[in-house]
Amino acid sequence: MENVVGDRVLIAVQAVNISRLSTHAVPVVPGTLIVVAGAGPKDSNGAGKSSFIASITALLGDEQWRFASGAKAVSELLFNAELASGAGGRQWASAGHGYIVGVFAPASGGELDAYEVEPGDDDGELFGVAGRPDAPLTVWVRVNQEAPHLEIRWREGVRLAAAASEAERVARADEIWASLPRSAGRRDVVARDLTKVLYGDRVRCVSFLSTSVRSKVATNLLSQPLNEISPERVFEAIAALTGLDAELELEREARRDEHAKRVRAAQAAERLAEFEAESRALLATFDRRDQARVRLAEAMRCWKGRQARKLADAAAKDDALAAELERHRVAGETAAEAIAEVRAEIATLKDDTLDRQVTAARKELAEFQARAAKLDADRAVAENTADELRGRIPALEEARRFADGRDVPGAERELREARLRLNEALKALGVADQEVASARAALDDAEGGPAAAQLDALAQAGVPASGLLDALDVAEQARESSGRRKSGGPALGELRNWPGEHAVIVDADRQAEAAAALRELPGSVLVSAAGVSVVGAFDGVATGREARIKAAEQRLNRAMDSQDTAAQAVREAEEAVTLAQRRLDGANAGVRLEELERRLTGQRATLAGLAAALEELAPKVAEAERETAALDFRARTRDLEIERLESRRQQLDGERARAREQEARVAAEREALKLGALAADWGGPAESAASWLAELPEEERPRTADEWWRVAERHLDQALRDTFPEEDAEVPEELRFLLAERGGSAAREQATFAGVCTSLASYLRGQEEYEKHQRRQIEAQLVSRQRDLAAADKGAEEAAQSTAVHRAALTAAIKARLERVAEEFGKLDVSYGGYGATLEFPVPPAPADPEQRWQWRVTPKWRRGEGQGYVPYNRRANTALMDEKAVKLVCAAAIASSGGGHLCLVLDELGRNLGKEHRREAVALFRRIGETYGITVIGALQDDMEPYAIDACGQYIKLRRSSDAMPYNEPPVIVGHDQHADRVKALAAFVDRTSETG
């Protein structure tokens, strides 16, 4: 069963439990541009556009879903409650399965109203009766969360799930699925057969899907500016659109197969070499066993010679055995006496006196060592203290030099005297400072005028006044003696007690007012026509402003000279105090130095005592160590002696045991050497044994029974080694038991000799046939493995040739497909406003790594003017030109992949990279190319693209979901444009009517 859909095209699609898509059937107009817009809670995001177009690509067999591997990624489109809404995980359950249903009808079936639904038609057939060539076909794809992820059924007619609500339509879908016949007999067609069964070898869909619905996506030539896409990614995009990526994967599989066959050939050679080595080891083992059979026969012959010799020597040997028996008895008694003596000596040595002495010596040594350690620690502390004291001596000696031979009391006395002189100098300096301040104030008063304070107070009170002395000018000679008078002048005696410095002259009428203003300045003098009012008494003062200033300056100069003298005295006193303090510090340093030297002398005495104690204790420690070592040595010697005696006792025990064994053996041999028993062992009388010995070769006749035994034992041992060369060889249980019984004495070895030979002979007889068979098997295996190696080498060479042929064919196919794309690219460019375009694609060398993808490079080129040469796409160009060429290249790849049949081109994020000014032209170009070449272009777009695409498309589909709280979409809005409007309405009407009928 193949190509069930045939030439039919998709006219309607229904999604059940696919993402959050509504279960309403959506009519599809083939051969035009169909834009899918969205209206989510905030914008177009969340409306399910990507899931809608992804479900269409899965229905149409887009190989990017990896159908050959089971198409597990399609199951990710199922409704997920957690992703559907914020509280979806608590209110709804995720879907375990869902359905993608598509209705296919002939592309040129005439007008829809030419087909009627027959009354009572339970199957809901849209176009006529089932079985007619133009009958529609409904394909149901069941999407499962678990494998198989896709199951496909179909039947003629329209068979969609129709009901009043979403839940009822979901339940109706399960009922319809159960009623549909299985598509492959007893089972359903699954993902790996979807494209072949439904569409044959034709490509029905190519797509660019986003990462929201597929984890691995091909390069989208429309998702970014074309000149930003590398030539490698351009080829990947064209390969995805034209199906070349699947062929490239086949080429990589061929390289993997070639590599695997070469590996198998190498492994076959390794296995052959290993088998040959193992075979050589087996054959060597078989050869050794053949030799073992010969040696075993010789061992049995020698055993017979021993029996003959024993029978002949029985009488003489009986006496010898009697003497030997006595000898072994005496040896056993001697060994027993020696054992008793050794035990007594061991008991004596095990006395614990020495152990107690060792313990006491170790305890005494520990005490001496602890005392020595303490003395050593004390000595270290004393040495550190002495070193510290010695380190402080130089500083104290340096400080002591400043004492200048003075002791502490004398230095303290000098410091007290110096401080007294300093205090006296400071007092004199204070007096001088006060005098300077007073003189400076007097100078300031003289410069400011007599009675300045009084004049200011009167001025503030508004009483006019002037200084009395400022109004008088007294001759110089009048100032020389305040008590003398000159003829013809004023009475100087009257000026002597006149406080003229603070005297002011005021109006007689305002004298009372002036007195009130000067109440705060006692000692002020008011002079008026009414008289003189004096407060306080004054010395005689000079009159005249210049004289007063000069006298004040002289006073200030004298005061400053006194101040400088006092300051110098203070500095000298301070230096004397500093010197006295330094001498006192030096005297104190001398005292501390004497104390330090006394302490250092004491530490040296302590060190000497500790050293003497250590010297006194050292011989005791050495003696304790020597005594402890000697006792330890004695203890070790005693232990060694005990060990030696124990070994001697064990040796004597062994000797006594051997003597007893020999005694028992000799007694048994004497019993066994009875002539009757020996004759019975030989199988005849002694004469026959002598005759047999006489017939032996000359060199074997003198052999004794022991010599016969040794030869027989040697041959048996060699036979055993030849049979079982490895220590861990698998020995038969009976033979292993007999060999274990042989150990310990010659008597036991001889007693078990015959049994061992019989068991070994039986084992070798049993192995003989097996070894012959193994030899034949090894020869056959060698031939088979050599043949396998030759076949593996031949397969590797054929795989290499096949890969080369496949690569050559694929190269030709890729070149042909790319040439076809280049041809269509050029036609589209010329047909829609360009000057011609082509593709450049050099053939790259095949990679050596079988896991590496064969990487091709495709460089789009086009002419920018009539008659010009081709320019690579990655040269600078305007945005509109890049967008136009990208659209044409995508369409050219789609046309080339269609093979002349109807094709569906599905694009996610349509025009996302297109500039605003070029979007309408680019979308219109999609529509014109689709309608011209019969390509159905389905593109999902964002909000900003919708205004440009809605006017340029042939059909408009808008998916709606108004709130995040809604798990499913609302019914979609479907609009047909231009000549497609009637067809969309008719499709919708027929789909709804037939769904209700069904």
Side-chain angles (χ1 to χ4, degrees):
M1 187 180 302
E2 186 174 337
N3 197 14
V4 173
V5 174
D7 294 330
R8 298 179 183 90
V9 295
L10 182 67
I11 65 168
V13 64
Q14 183 180 29
V16 179
N17 280 342
I18 300 300
S19 184
R20 56 172 62 94
L21 299 176
S22 168
T23 56
H24 294 82
V26 179
V28 177
V29 176
T32 188
L33 172 63
I34 302 172
V35 297
V36 181
K42 296 180 181 179
D43 50 25
S44 64
N45 294 318
K49 304 186 300 297
S50 297
S51 299
F52 177 72
I53 63 173
S55 63
I56 292 177
T57 62
L59 175 66
L60 295 178
D62 182 6
E63 281 298 333
Q64 292 189 48
W65 288 107
R66 307 296 184 192
F67 291 101
S69 301
K72 184 180 185 303
V74 180
S75 63
E76 297 177 4
L77 298 176
L78 289 172
F79 174 75
N80 187 308
E82 294 181 357
L83 300 179
S85 65
R90 297 188 297 271
Q91 298 180 8
W92 295 279
S94 300
H97 69 275
Y99 303 96
I100 304 173
V101 187
V103 179
F104 294 85
S108 58
E111 294 299 330
L112 293 178
D113 52 7
Y115 304 94
E116 296 294 341
V117 177
E118 297 181 359
D121 183 7
D122 291 336
D123 291 338
E125 294 175 356
L126 176 59
F127 298 108
V129 182
R132 289 177 47 179
D134 58 350
L137 181 74
T138 303
V139 175
W140 281 68
V141 178
R142 179 183 170 109
V143 183
N144 301 312
Q145 194 67 256
E146 304 295 334
H149 298 291
L150 296 185
E151 296 175 291
I152 300 95
R153 296 180 184 178
W154 64 85
R155 66 170 298 172
E156 290 185 348
V158 177
R159 194 65 169 170
L160 300 175
S165 66
E166 292 282 346
E168 292 174 346
R169 283 191 288 272
V170 172
R172 180 61 178 157
D174 289 333
E175 295 174 1
I176 295 176
W177 174 263
S179 67
L180 294 175
R182 293 186 181 273
S183 52
R186 295 183 178 180
R187 65 174 182 85
D188 291 314
V189 173
V190 292
R192 66 175 180 271
D193 301 322
L194 182 146
T195 55
K196 181 178 180 181
V197 171
L198 293 182
Y199 311 113
D201 296 330
R202 293 167 56 184
V203 177
R204 297 299 296 265
C205 177
V206 292
S207 68
F208 286 139
L209 298 183
S210 68
T211 55
S212 62
V213 294
R214 186 180 303 164
S215 59
K216 182 180 180 182
V217 296
T219 302
N220 190 340
L221 296 177
L222 304 177
S223 64
Q224 63 187 102
L226 184 61
N227 57 357
E228 295 180 3
I229 303 176
S230 66
E232 291 84 1
R233 294 179 62 200
V234 171
F235 172 76
E236 290 177 0
I238 295 175
L241 289 171
T242 58
L244 286 176
D245 53 350
E247 297 184 12
L248 287 170
E249 189 63 28
L250 290 176
E251 188 274 339
R252 182 159 59 179
E253 288 296 332
R255 279 189 281 118
R256 288 175 180 167
D257 180 65
E258 177 189 352
H259 177 72
K261 288 184 177 180
R262 290 191 181 277
V263 170
R264 284 197 293 271
Q267 292 174 348
E270 292 177 1
R271 288 194 295 270
L272 176 60
E274 292 175 359
F275 182 76
E276 288 177 344
E278 294 173 357
S279 299
R280 285 193 295 271
L282 284 175
L283 292 175
T285 301
F286 297 159
D287 292 340
R288 284 197 303 271
R289 287 180 180 171
D290 290 340
Q291 184 66 26
R293 294 182 181 94
V294 175
R295 290 185 181 277
L296 180 60
E298 184 63 19
M300 295 177 70
R301 189 185 74 84
C302 292
W303 177 255
K304 186 176 181 181
R306 174 181 177 276
Q307 295 297 93
R309 179 56 63 188
K310 286 179 63 177
L311 179 60
D313 296 342
K317 193 172 183 180
D318 184 66
D319 294 337
L321 287 176
E324 184 180 358
L325 181 62
E326 181 62 21
R327 187 172 62 254
H328 289 313
R329 184 184 63 76
V330 173
E333 292 175 355
T334 304
E337 293 173 357
I339 289 173
E341 293 175 358
V342 169
R343 284 178 176 171
E345 189 174 355
I346 290 174
T348 302
L349 290 174
K350 286 186 176 180
D351 182 49
D352 61 349
T353 302
L354 181 60
D355 293 334
R356 290 196 301 271
Q357 291 176 353
V358 170
T359 301
R362 288 177 178 173
K363 182 177 180 181
E364 184 180 7
L365 175 61
E367 292 176 355
F368 285 145
Q369 288 177 340
R371 289 172 56 191
K374 184 177 183 307
L375 290 174
D376 192 57
D378 292 343
R379 184 179 61 180
V381 172
E383 287 177 350
N384 291 336
T385 303
D387 291 340
E388 181 183 358
L389 294 176
R390 281 194 297 271
R392 292 163 56 187
I393 288 175
L396 292 176
E397 289 178 345
E398 180 66 22
R400 187 178 60 178
R401 290 189 298 102
F402 293 103
D404 294 335
R406 291 168 175 79
D407 56 3
V408 174
E412 290 177 346
R413 185 175 57 257
E414 289 183 2
L415 179 61
R416 285 195 299 272
E417 293 174 355
R419 285 176 176 171
L420 290 175
R421 288 193 298 273
L422 176 61
N423 290 335
E424 294 296 332
L426 289 174
K427 291 178 181 178
L429 179 61
V431 172
D433 291 341
Q434 291 179 357
E435 178 63 20
V436 170
S438 176
R440 185 173 283 109
L443 177 61
D444 292 340
D445 290 342
E447 291 176 346
Q454 286 77 8
L455 292 175
D456 290 339
L458 293 174
Q460 292 177 1
V463 178
S466 62
L468 176 63
L469 295 182
D470 290 339
L472 298 178
D473 189 7
V474 182
E476 184 68 26
Q477 58 274 14
R479 299 188 187 97
E480 294 177 358
S481 177
S482 58
R484 288 183 300 172
R485 294 180 58 186
K486 289 185 178 182
S487 60
L492 295 177
E494 297 175 0
L495 296 176
R496 181 178 303 166
N497 295 319
W498 184 21
E501 184 178 1
H502 301 285
V504 292
I505 301 173
V506 297
D507 256 347
D509 295 336
R510 306 191 70 173
Q511 186 173 358
E513 184 178 354
L518 297 176
R519 187 179 298 113
E520 300 297 328
L521 298 172
S524 300
V525 178
L526 294 176
V527 180
S528 66
V532 177
S533 175
V534 179
V535 180
F538 299 89
D539 294 333
V541 295
T543 60
R545 185 170 183 275
E546 293 295 333
R548 290 198 308 274
I549 292 174
K550 184 174 181 181
E553 288 177 348
Q554 290 175 355
R555 180 186 174 188
L556 177 61
N557 291 335
R558 287 193 300 272
M560 291 179 66
D561 291 341
S562 299
Q563 185 186 39
D564 291 341
T565 302
Q568 179 63 30
V570 168
R571 285 193 293 273
E572 291 174 355
E574 287 176 346
E575 290 176 359
V577 169
T578 301
L579 179 60
Q581 183 65 48
R582 187 183 303 115
R583 287 170 178 169
L584 177 59
D585 292 342
N588 288 328
V591 174
R592 289 196 298 274
L593 181 59
E594 292 175 358
E595 176 64 22
L596 188 146
E597 288 176 348
R598 286 195 299 273
R599 289 177 60 191
L600 182 58
T601 302
Q603 288 298 322
R604 287 170 179 167
T606 301
L607 280 173
L610 291 173
L614 281 172
E615 291 178 0
E616 181 181 356
L617 186 60
K620 297 180 181 180
V621 173
E623 178 61 23
E625 289 177 347
R626 184 194 62 74
E627 183 177 356
T628 302
L631 289 173
D632 284 338
F633 178 76
R634 287 178 58 192
R636 289 195 299 271
T637 304
R638 180 202 62 184
D639 293 340
L640 291 175
E641 182 63 18
I642 290 173
E643 291 179 1
R644 186 187 67 78
L645 291 173
E646 287 288 350
S647 176
R648 173 62 178 162
R649 184 185 61 77
Q650 293 175 1
Q651 181 181 0
L652 291 171
D653 285 339
E655 291 178 358
R656 183 177 62 178
R658 286 193 295 273
R660 290 174 179 175
E661 289 177 0
Q662 291 295 333
E663 185 178 352
R665 181 184 63 78
V666 170
E669 286 183 1
R670 287 188 67 192
E671 186 68 25
L673 286 178
K674 294 179 181 180
L675 294 177
L678 290 176
D681 291 340
W682 165 250
E687 291 78 6
S688 63
S691 300
W692 187 86
L693 290 172
E695 294 175 357
L696 292 175
E698 186 67 27
E699 63 274 10
E700 292 182 351
R701 291 176 191 172
R703 287 181 183 175
T704 64
D706 291 337
E707 290 173 346
W708 282 109
W709 159 246
R710 285 193 294 272
V711 175
E713 179 68 10
R714 187 168 60 251
H715 285 298
L716 178 59
D717 288 342
Q718 188 62 45
L720 287 171
R721 285 194 296 271
D722 290 341
T723 306
F724 308 107
E726 303 294 335
E727 293 183 359
D728 57 348
E730 295 183 2
V731 181
E733 189 65 27
E734 178 186 4
L735 183 57
R736 185 186 299 276
F737 175 77
L738 293 172
L739 291 175
E741 288 294 319
R742 296 182 74 234
S745 66
R748 297 177 64 183
E749 292 177 353
Q750 294 170 1
T752 58
F753 184 86
V756 171
C757 290
T758 302
S759 179
L760 181 58
S762 176
Y763 174 77
L764 290 174
R765 283 194 301 272
Q767 292 292 319
E768 189 171 8
E769 286 298 324
Y770 168 75
E771 292 170 3
K772 291 179 180 179
H773 175 71
Q774 283 292 97
R775 288 179 185 273
R776 292 192 295 269
Q777 287 290 102
I778 289 172
E779 294 174 358
Q781 283 287 329
L782 284 173
V783 174
S784 176
R785 290 176 184 270
Q786 290 170 352
R787 186 167 55 250
D788 291 343
L789 176 59
D793 290 337
K794 183 178 179 182
E797 293 299 326
E798 291 177 351
Q801 295 176 2
S802 175
T803 302
V805 172
H806 184 273
R807 188 178 298 117
L810 179 59
T811 302
I814 293 175
K815 291 174 64 177
R817 190 70 57 86
L818 292 178
E819 288 172 356
R820 169 72 173 153
V821 175
E823 180 182 354
E824 295 296 336
F825 187 28
K827 290 180 181 179
L828 289 176
D829 190 60
V830 173
S831 300
Y832 295 98
Y835 300 99
T838 186
L839 300 177
E840 182 180 278
F841 44 89
V843 179
D849 186 357
E851 297 298 327
Q852 186 178 353
R853 185 181 175 88
W854 196 9
Q855 189 65 58
W856 285 62
R857 295 168 55 91
V858 172
T859 304
K861 294 184 175 182
W862 52 77
R863 293 189 177 98
R864 297 190 178 183
E866 193 67 44
Q868 295 182 3
Y870 289 106
V871 178
Y873 77 105
N874 46 17
R875 298 286 177 83
R876 179 182 293 275
N878 62 73
T879 306
L881 180 62
M882 285 293 176
D883 296 342
E884 174 195 347
K885 302 304 181 185
V887 172
K888 291 177 181 178
L889 181 56
V890 171
C891 292
I895 294 169
S897 64
S898 65
H902 185 80
L903 183 72
C904 184
L905 174 61
V906 181
L907 304 172
D908 201 359
E909 304 291 348
L910 178 64
R912 179 175 62 183
N913 185 58
L914 302 178
K916 293 183 179 180
E917 64 276 12
H918 312 302
R919 290 179 174 179
R920 185 175 287 105
E921 292 79 358
V923 174
L925 181 60
F926 268 122
R927 176 179 177 180
R928 292 198 303 271
I929 293 175
E931 293 178 350
T932 301
Y933 290 90
I935 299 175
T936 302
V937 183
I938 303 176
L941 46 81
Q942 292 289 345
D943 295 341
D944 57 347
M945 189 65 189
E946 188 172 353
Y948 306 97
I950 193 169
D951 295 332
C953 67
Q955 181 181 354
Y956 172 80
I957 300 173
K958 189 157 190 174
L959 308 178
R960 302 178 299 163
R961 187 169 71 98
S962 59
S963 172
D964 280 331
M966 298 176 59
Y968 295 104
N969 286 3
E970 300 173 10
V973 175
I974 305 169
V975 180
H977 292 279
D978 303 334
Q979 71 271 23
H980 304 295
D982 294 337
R983 183 171 179 84
V984 169
K985 293 177 182 179
L987 280 169
F990 276 111
V991 167
D992 292 341
R993 182 171 48 172
T994 55
S995 298
E996 293 171 2
T997 303

